[in-house]
Amino acid sequence: MKIINTLGPKQTDSYQAAQYLAERQEVDIRLHASFDDIYNGLAELKGQYLLVPVAFRSAQSDANWVDNNYKYVDQLSIVDTFFLPTMPMILVHNPKQDNQKVVLHPATSAFLHDFESDLVPDYVSSKPEALKKFLHGDYAYAIVSEEWFESAMKQGFSGSQFEVIKRFTPTMIWCLYKIIGK
């Protein structure tokens, strides 16, 4: 059975992409707090698999898929690529907060290209983490998964205090690597 390492929690697009693979073959999905954690632990994961979107950008370093694809060429071997639509995302605003801070995953920052340029980004490792921080009330804006935002609204957060500014529905390319070690 393949062990596939990817970004958690279960509310991520990464988990959904791993589930897509699990529908076609028997796999054990292992979720991690960040892709950086996986890349930093490749030696311990030899023989297992890494599933990563080509849009990967780290919230903790300057790492990204392009650079890592070359940096780890001796440790990772591409065995599959595929594409899937991501979960719809939204740019949401809290009008009660005027600090111009936006919490988001670095890979989604391109969605701000035609928005206010004076926003102050706070990058996190996943969209579920961005949602959690946004709902805490310290940010004026966030880019989050629409489904999980709506779910949070149904679980007691007052959605009337937030406004959805824009919706995004991109398709993502996924890369499955076998971790071969050095």
Side-chain angles (χ1 to χ4, degrees), residues 1-170:
M1 176 185 330
K2 286 182 181 176
I3 298 173
I4 297 178
N5 296 276
T6 197
L7 180 66
K10 289 184 177 181
Q11 293 86 358
T12 62
D13 286 299
S14 297
Y15 179 74
Q16 287 197 354
Q19 285 292 109
Y20 170 82
L21 292 175
E23 292 171 4
R24 286 147 185 75
Q25 57 189 295
E26 193 172 336
V27 300
D28 178 10
I29 301 169
R30 306 264 171 95
L31 300 176
H32 299 262
S34 71
F35 281 113
D36 291 295
D37 290 348
I38 301 171
Y39 282 108
N40 291 332
L42 288 177
E44 295 81 38
L45 302 174
K46 186 175 178 179
Q48 298 179 23
Y49 294 81
L50 164 60
L51 179 63
V52 61
V54 298
F56 162 66
R57 289 185 185 167
S58 174
Q60 302 159 352
S61 68
D62 62 353
N64 60 69
W65 178 82
V66 173
D67 292 343
N68 283 354
N69 187 57
Y70 293 137
K71 179 179 180 180
Y72 297 103
V73 70
D74 294 334
Q75 297 176 59
L76 297 171
S77 175
I78 296 174
V79 295
D80 195 9
T81 59
F82 58 96
F83 65 92
L84 294 171
T86 65
M87 291 181 280
M89 294 173 248
I90 54 174
L91 172 60
V92 64
H93 178 227
N94 179 355
K96 294 180 180 177
Q97 185 59 264
D98 64 357
N99 61 17
Q100 294 303 97
K101 288 171 55 177
V102 58
V103 60
L104 68 162
H105 185 284
T108 64
S109 62
F111 292 132
L112 298 175
H113 66 81
D114 60 355
F115 195 61
E116 297 180 38
S117 61
D118 59 346
L119 292 180
V120 179
D122 184 8
Y123 296 118
V124 294
S125 294
S126 68
K127 290 186 300 268
E129 186 179 349
L131 177 60
K132 182 179 177 182
K133 285 188 164 203
F134 177 75
L135 293 177
H136 189 264
D138 297 332
Y139 296 90
Y141 300 92
I143 294 179
V144 297
S145 295
E146 182 178 46
E147 175 184 352
W148 300 111
F149 177 78
E150 289 175 355
S151 177
M153 296 304 101
K154 291 177 186 173
Q155 294 177 10
F157 283 94
S158 174
S160 61
Q161 70 189 38
F162 304 120
E163 62 180 329
V164 174
I165 296 174
K166 193 161 184 181
R167 187 172 190 262
F168 312 97
T169 57

